[in-house]
Amino acid sequence: MGRYTKREHAAGKFWLDVRPNSPAYCRLEGRQVRRKSTGTDDLELAKKALKAHYLAEDNPDSQDVTRVPVSEVVHAYYAQHGQHVPARKWLKSAVGHWTRFYGEESVWAATRIPRIERFIDDLKRRDLSPSSINAILSAGRAALNRAWRRSEISRQIYVPSLKVTKVAPKGRPLSVDECAGWLDASAPHFHTLLFICLATGSRPEAVKELRWTQVDFEDALLHLNHEDREQTTKHRPVVKMPPSLIAYLRQLGRESDFVVSFRGKPVNRYYTALGESRTRAGLDGRVNLYSPRHTVARWMRKERVPFEEVSGQLGHRVQGFAITEIYAAYSPDYQALATAAIERLLQAIAVQSRSCHFLLRAEEKPSQNKGIAA
């Protein structure tokens, strides 16, 4: 097995031998030792990096599930796969839960049903929701399945899921007047974030990361998934921009590459602005930035928008459309009914919202004729 070395010219970071032989042995054989940086000056983290590398080398001595620590498997999964995916921050947290609870326990001991049940109980005591617990279990399951497929452990391991009862969606839907009041009570950068969520039905993370290069004014399209981001199960679709959204975006100043920005920088966190605007608007704590998404979904169904268009607008996969969806956005009737329904929602909001009153079309504006005095 390789060993740890410390190189003075490497800013004090630990390195590991790529070959399993020691440097002294390699010098006797007349071979040059190749080394790889662990990227850390912490000895414990360097040990974990070496273990992950050793596991990935498919050494037969490492395959017996009664001897391989579960921490090595999940760390290898994160190092070789997890840190390169969009959900890397969440995966790192999930791996942390596995290693914190199990330590150096073997894969076989850690995944016995009674032991998994104790792990689940431990997660419950940390006030994690059932869906969050299932997500943590799924991360460990993915790591173990990947190790088995790569012949890094000798057998496939079963990791159960927690039974989850049906729960209400995050963020309650809003009425038109609540949407208008919330917009009027919002700071400028949060106003932009909120309005685009209402105009697209998108998840707030997609809007927060939206760049101007994703806005196609010529074809009235909004590409919610940036070209550098890999699509995940939370699919970010291409949506048609309703006229009110086009008008709203055209009047925005471009302080940065991001559509939603604060003092020239992208908005990383919005919880303070969310809480303050919600309080000023008199909204309850069940209202959050998923509320616009559920508001739009409910509005489209009331407007009798077909299921396929509702699913397409929200980024839900519809079986049978995977091959054509790359070019579908350029069809003249693409999402036509969904876009028209959302435009009616935005116009209804603009009637009641001072901050969005400029978006009203001429036919929607209230008459200014007060009549002739007697």
Side-chain angles (χ1 to χ4, degrees):
M1 185 174 176
R3 72 173 190 176
Y4 310 103
T5 59
K6 197 160 186 175
R7 308 266 291 273
E8 294 298 328
H9 67 276
K13 292 184 178 179
F14 285 94
W15 291 58
L16 58 89
D17 297 338
V18 173
R19 296 182 185 275
N21 303 323
S22 70
Y25 178 82
C26 289
R27 281 197 297 271
L28 287 173
E29 293 294 311
R31 290 179 290 174
Q32 184 179 3
V33 177
R34 293 164 47 237
R35 291 185 173 91
K36 178 180 179 182
S37 174
T38 62
T40 180
D41 56 3
D42 185 287
L43 179 59
E44 292 305 314
L45 292 178
K47 288 179 180 179
K48 291 176 181 178
L50 179 56
K51 288 178 180 178
H53 172 78
Y54 188 53
L55 182 61
E57 288 297 308
D58 197 19
N59 190 302
D61 293 337
S62 298
Q63 291 185 13
D64 187 352
V65 293
T66 62
R67 287 189 288 172
V68 178
V70 71
S71 60
E72 290 187 14
V73 176
V74 294
H75 273 292
Y77 172 73
Y78 180 78
Q80 298 158 18
H81 170 72
Q83 64 176 332
H84 305 298
V85 302
R88 54 186 171 273
K89 289 184 179 179
W90 171 83
L91 277 173
K92 186 175 182 180
S93 174
V95 166
H97 282 291
W98 278 84
T99 55
R100 171 192 55 77
F101 183 81
Y102 286 113
E104 294 300 309
E105 285 187 48
S106 72
V107 168
W108 183 246
T111 54
R112 307 290 285 184
I113 295 299
R115 193 68 177 129
I116 283 283
E117 289 175 348
R118 292 192 187 96
F119 181 35
I120 293 173
D121 290 339
D122 175 80
L123 295 174
K124 287 179 179 178
R125 285 194 293 270
R126 295 175 182 274
D127 294 328
L128 293 171
S129 66
S131 58
S132 296
I133 292 173
N134 269 340
I136 293 169
L137 294 173
S138 295
R141 186 185 303 113
L144 291 164
N145 284 339
R146 182 176 185 271
W148 174 70
R149 289 195 302 269
R150 292 162 61 93
S151 301
E152 293 167 358
I153 56 177
S154 57
R155 67 184 76 176
Q156 191 172 17
I157 301 297
Y158 170 72
V159 178
S161 296
L162 185 66
K163 289 185 178 180
V164 180
T165 56
K166 188 175 181 181
V167 296
K170 291 188 291 185
R172 70 165 177 84
L174 302 165
S175 63
V176 169
D177 61 326
E178 285 178 325
C179 292
W182 195 11
L183 284 164
D184 290 343
S186 299
H189 68 284
F190 190 78
H191 191 285
T192 301
L193 180 63
L194 177 57
F195 186 86
I196 298 174
C197 286
L198 285 167
T200 60
S202 303
R203 298 179 181 91
E205 291 78 12
V207 178
K208 185 184 69 173
E209 298 170 8
L210 188 66
R211 295 173 172 87
W212 284 108
T213 53
Q214 296 169 245
V215 182
D216 181 356
F217 285 111
E218 182 178 351
D219 291 306
L221 296 175
L222 202 60
H223 300 260
L224 289 169
N225 194 58
H226 191 265
E227 59 183 7
D228 295 334
R229 176 187 177 274
E230 182 182 353
Q231 285 283 18
T232 66
T233 52
K234 293 186 176 181
H235 185 73
R236 296 183 182 179
V238 179
V239 298
K240 200 79 172 179
M241 291 192 292
S244 292
L245 177 57
I246 295 174
Y248 185 92
L249 293 177
R250 286 194 182 280
Q251 57 86 39
L252 287 179
R254 299 196 183 189
E255 299 178 348
S256 73
D257 294 336
F258 290 83
V259 178
V260 181
S261 62
F262 180 67
R263 295 177 180 173
K265 296 181 180 179
V267 176
N268 292 322
R269 298 179 65 85
Y270 50 78
Y271 300 108
T272 299
L274 165 64
E276 291 176 350
S277 62
R278 190 171 56 192
T279 299
R280 285 193 295 266
L283 299 172
D284 59 80
R286 293 179 298 151
V287 174
N288 58 39
L289 272 179
Y290 276 84
S291 293
R293 181 172 173 84
H294 300 304
T295 300
V296 171
R298 185 176 66 174
W299 178 275
M300 286 191 292
R301 293 306 289 160
K302 285 185 174 181
E303 293 285 309
R304 299 179 180 175
V305 175
F307 167 76
E308 291 80 7
E309 289 203 20
V310 174
S311 298
Q313 186 73 32
L314 300 177
H316 298 159
R317 292 282 187 170
V318 179
Q319 190 173 4
F321 285 82
I323 297 176
T324 59
E325 67 182 3
I326 297 174
Y327 306 105
Y330 295 93
S331 172
D333 59 351
Y334 175 71
Q335 292 292 100
L337 296 176
T339 306
I342 293 175
E343 175 63 15
R344 289 192 290 273
L345 171 62
L346 297 177
Q347 287 295 302
I349 292 171
V351 169
Q352 301 187 41
S353 169
R354 298 186 307 276
S355 58
C356 296
H357 204 70
F358 71 97
L359 296 172
L360 279 175
R361 295 193 300 268
E363 62 271 20
E364 299 290 342
K365 290 182 179 179
S367 173
Q368 299 299 313
N369 185 5
K370 301 298 183 181
I372 301 175

